[in-house]
Amino acid sequence: MLAATAGVGTALAAGGSVHAAAGRSAAEDRRLRGLISRMTLEEKVGQLFVMRVYGHSATEPDQADIDANLKEIGVRTAAELLERYRVGGIIYFSWAHNTRDPHQIADLSNGIQKASLGLPRGLPVLVSTDQEHGIVARVGEPATLFPGAMAVGAGGSRSDARTLGRIAGRELRALGIRQDYAPVADVNVNPANPVIGVRSFGSSPEAVARLVAAEVSGFQQAGVAATAKHFPGHGDTVDDSHDKLPYIHHTREQWQQLDAPPFRAAIAAGIDSIMTAHIVVPALDPSEDPATLSRPILTGILREELGYDGVVVTDSLGMEGVRTKYGDDRVPVLALKAGVDQLLNPPSLDVAWNAVLRAVRDGELTEERLDASILRILRLKAKLDLFEDPYVSHGGVDRTVGTRAHLAAADRIAERTTTLLVNEGGLLPLSRRRHPKVLVVGADPASPSGTTGPPTGVLADALTELGFTATALSTGTAPSAAVIDRAVTAAGEADAVVVGTYNVSAGSSQRTLVERLLATGRPVVAVAIRNPYDVAHLPGVPAYLAAYSWTDVELRAAARVIAGRVRPRGTLPVPVQRADDPAAVLYPVGHGLRY
């Protein structure tokens, strides 16, 4: 491994070493420009891409992952990907089998660095992932998993947000991951938003800005590049940019007031990277190009108006939102012309890579334009110590990842987020003496990456550990009449019922389930395990909690609140509108009961 770094070490030696704390001095830039000057055009093009690759190992993945790589990328392994395309970054996904366990992740990261640094003029790779926590996490247990953004918003603590970022960053860095696509800086002002929702800190631009800045500070103190997303703001849409191209109809003034503050705060906090959104904002760019491909938005607003000179990374180029208007060969070229630096996860790397290469050879893009982005990318790699210290160790993993202190911090933060919305007659906390037998029913959506699940089982186990006799019965997000009957029968044998709700709508059979359970006369406690808006559709429930996610750490905290081991402390970071009159507010921002 030491030999593999020799090429980079020699290239940097003339000007001294590059340290994260050294700042972007003129001498450092000269060294980095020297590296760029020795790169071939093909190597420069590769440095702009961040690509997925299947497998738990850089050189010896399982056969199924080799087959997937051959089908999608035309290479067998991560090492071959680096050799053929010289990509500057690799993104980890759980579904790509990159994140089995901490030691394996560390070994994969080391294998990637060794493969890249062993090439002629080899450069370290910036390994990234989406570790937002809450419902989006690629690295699971035994790593520490924290509450998601809206839960942190309910806690309202900048100190907790900073602690989350610092601990999560330390664990990611120990695994060889030095760029995290978090935090979400979108302001969720639309309850119907299908793609952001609880991934946002809330609906108040000022509150979101404070928490974004705190989390950025935590991540970057830990030596991991934070990424504010999704610029210019994805919080007010009813469409999912994974599936179509959403429109944001804010005026320029509304954008300034609602969407811009968290990104301004992130920039003021020294954010290392900002991710673009595949959304159309006609008030910011009348051409109706998606923001990822919009020069008025990325260069005119982000670079020039907001003064940002860090790395700009696209959201995944495989998403339909960016592919709707232009072909896959035009998208990466237009993104670079708009002001992007890193091109993330194109559907076909061969098509995208050759399109950029051809654009330079044909004169549509200049080599100097590529050099400007590569310099930003290399500055970030230097800041993150990748030139001097690209490798990680099993010992570092064992000292850092999922430690008792880190897990305890996650539990404490989660306890400060659980929000009590309704508590008629002081039903909560439940008494082990009066309600010893508890039935836990409700939705069991697929568990977020790396958590135990299912939610009903996690809640039942946690309540049992707290002294109740709890049993779980999964009824799903759309319970049938037979399933509802079975739950009602089981409720007859219980002293109290806890029901987990998930995105309840006016026509949801979850409403029927809850109404039938209430009709049994048993005390019913409902827990919104995703969006807190569910409570508006279930007015008869005597006790209602918002957990903001169905990850283990948030469900265990909700169980402790139900049992009275901790007091509810969260307050709503978004308003809950009335179901019969969406213009009227049922529970305002800041609502949260105590006992």
Side-chain angles (χ1 to χ4, degrees), residues 68 118 124 131 137 145 160 166 168 172 247 277 322 345 438 478 518 566 571:
Q131 193 78 351
L145 294 168
D160 282 350
R166 186 172 62 252
L172 289 176
Y247 276 65
V322 79
N345 201 30
V438 177
L518 288 169
V566 297
T571 60

Side-chain angles (χ1 to χ4, degrees), residues 311-324:
V311 170
V312 174
V313 57
T314 70
D315 206 342
S316 171
L317 297 183
M319 294 165 61
E320 286 302 315
V322 79
R323 303 173 73 191
T324 299

Side-chain angles (χ1 to χ4, degrees), residues 162 183 386 440:
R162 193 176 302 110
L386 278 167
V440 180

Side-chain angles (χ1 to χ4, degrees), residues 194-423:
V195 64
I196 304 302
V198 294
R199 297 167 63 196
S200 163
F201 288 107
S203 63
S204 161
E206 295 75 21
V208 173
R210 287 193 299 270
L211 294 171
V212 163
E215 200 165 292
V216 167
S217 171
F219 275 116
Q220 296 189 178
Q221 286 173 10
V224 165
T227 308
K229 61 185 187 185
H230 309 76
F231 190 83
H234 208 322
D236 189 6
T237 176
V238 295
D239 294 318
D240 185 340
S241 50
H242 291 85
D243 306 318
K244 59 180 67 173
L245 179 57
Y247 276 65
I248 305 290
H249 296 290
H250 290 177
T251 65
R252 178 66 185 246
E253 292 72 24
Q254 287 173 321
W255 177 81
Q256 290 278 12
Q257 294 170 1
L258 289 173
D259 303 292
F263 292 101
R264 291 184 185 275
I267 292 169
I271 187 80
D272 283 327
S273 50
I274 290 177
M275 179 179 284
T276 67
H278 307 324
I279 57 173
V280 170
V281 190
L284 304 185
D285 183 354
S287 76
E288 300 195 9
D289 279 344
T292 297
L293 311 181
S294 168
R295 186 170 178 82
I297 291 175
L298 298 187
T299 296
I301 296 176
L302 182 56
R303 295 284 192 209
E304 296 173 358
E305 182 180 319
L306 301 186
Y308 181 65
D309 192 37
V311 170
V312 174
V313 57
T314 70
D315 206 342
S316 171
L317 297 183
M319 294 165 61
E320 286 302 315
V322 79
R323 303 173 73 191
T324 299
K325 193 172 180 180
Y326 301 98
D328 291 340
D329 59 335
R330 293 301 299 155
V331 165
V333 175
L334 294 173
L336 290 168
K337 292 176 76 171
V340 157
D341 301 306
Q342 288 184 308
L343 300 161
L344 177 62
N345 201 30
S348 169
L349 179 58
D350 192 63
V351 167
W353 188 89
N354 279 294
V356 175
L357 187 66
R358 187 166 55 250
V360 177
R361 288 175 173 164
D362 292 348
E364 184 179 5
L365 285 170
T366 66
E367 199 163 343
E368 290 73 22
R369 168 66 192 88
L370 268 58
D371 291 352
S373 283
I374 295 167
L375 180 59
R376 290 192 188 99
I377 294 166
L378 295 187
R379 282 171 176 163
L380 181 52
K381 291 182 179 184
K383 178 183 178 183
L384 298 172
D385 277 337
L386 278 167
F387 287 104
E388 287 206 326
D389 189 20
Y391 298 108
V392 293
S393 69
H394 284 194
V397 169
D398 294 339
R399 289 189 298 271
T400 309
V401 177
T403 65
R404 185 176 299 177
H406 287 181
L407 295 171
D411 281 336
R412 286 194 300 271
I413 290 172
E415 289 173 355
R416 293 190 278 269
T417 68
T418 306
T419 307
L420 181 60
L421 301 177
V422 180
N423 193 24

Side-chain angles (χ1 to χ4, degrees), residues 19 31 35 41 47 103 112 183 238 295 300 307 379 381 386 402 419 425 452 535 541 572:
H19 293 281
R31 291 192 295 273
L35 290 178
L41 177 57
Q47 194 64 204
H103 284 177
I112 286 169
V238 295
R295 186 170 178 82
R379 282 171 176 163
K381 291 182 179 184
L386 278 167
T419 307
T452 305
V535 66
V541 176
L572 280 174

Side-chain angles (χ1 to χ4, degrees), residues 18-270:
V18 177
H19 293 281
R24 285 199 341 231
S25 65
E28 179 186 80
D29 271 9
R30 282 197 299 272
R31 291 192 295 273
L32 298 178
R33 291 180 196 278
L35 290 178
I36 296 170
S37 71
R38 289 186 281 277
M39 296 167 66
T40 67
L41 177 57
E42 291 80 2
E43 290 166 3
K44 290 182 178 182
V45 171
Q47 194 64 204
L48 303 172
F49 284 93
V50 181
M51 190 59 185
R52 69 190 179 279
V53 66
Y54 291 85
H56 71 286
S57 163
T59 54
E60 298 179 351
D62 294 339
Q63 187 61 49
D65 292 322
I66 291 174
D67 295 342
N69 285 328
L70 287 170
K71 180 180 179 180
E72 295 186 18
I73 314 173
V75 299
R76 292 166 51 86
T77 67
E80 288 183 14
L81 167 68
L82 290 158
E83 183 177 12
R84 179 175 299 185
Y85 291 104
R86 304 300 286 264
V87 296
I90 286 179
I91 179 173
Y92 287 172
F93 291 106
S94 49
W95 52 259
H97 309 136
N98 304 139
T99 57
R100 288 181 179 176
D101 64 74
H103 284 177
Q104 169 269 318
I105 298 170
D107 290 342
L108 174 60
S109 299
N110 285 342
I112 286 169
Q113 300 297 354
K114 182 178 180 181
S116 184
L117 291 165
L119 296 168
R121 299 170 302 281
L123 293 170
V125 176
L126 186 51
V127 176
S128 61
T129 199
D130 290 287
Q131 193 78 351
E132 297 174 13
H133 294 272
I135 70 171
V136 177
R138 312 303 185 195
V139 180
E141 292 181 338
T144 305
L145 294 168
F146 285 90
M150 192 171 284
V152 175
S157 167
R158 283 180 287 181
S159 175
D160 282 350
R162 193 176 302 110
T163 297
L164 184 160
R166 186 172 62 252
I167 291 175
R170 286 175 180 167
E171 295 199 7
L172 289 176
R173 187 175 172 104
L175 300 171
I177 300 169
R178 301 202 195 183
Q179 184 178 25
D180 188 16
Y181 299 133
V184 171
D186 304 314
V187 181
N188 199 72
V189 295
N190 190 335
N193 192 325
V195 64
I196 304 302
V198 294
R199 297 167 63 196
S200 163
F201 288 107
S203 63
S204 161
E206 295 75 21
V208 173
R210 287 193 299 270
L211 294 171
V212 163
E215 200 165 292
V216 167
S217 171
F219 275 116
Q220 296 189 178
Q221 286 173 10
V224 165
T227 308
K229 61 185 187 185
H230 309 76
F231 190 83
H234 208 322
D236 189 6
T237 176
V238 295
D239 294 318
D240 185 340
S241 50
H242 291 85
D243 306 318
K244 59 180 67 173
L245 179 57
Y247 276 65
I248 305 290
H249 296 290
H250 290 177
T251 65
R252 178 66 185 246
E253 292 72 24
Q254 287 173 321
W255 177 81
Q256 290 278 12
Q257 294 170 1
L258 289 173
D259 303 292
F263 292 101
R264 291 184 185 275
I267 292 169

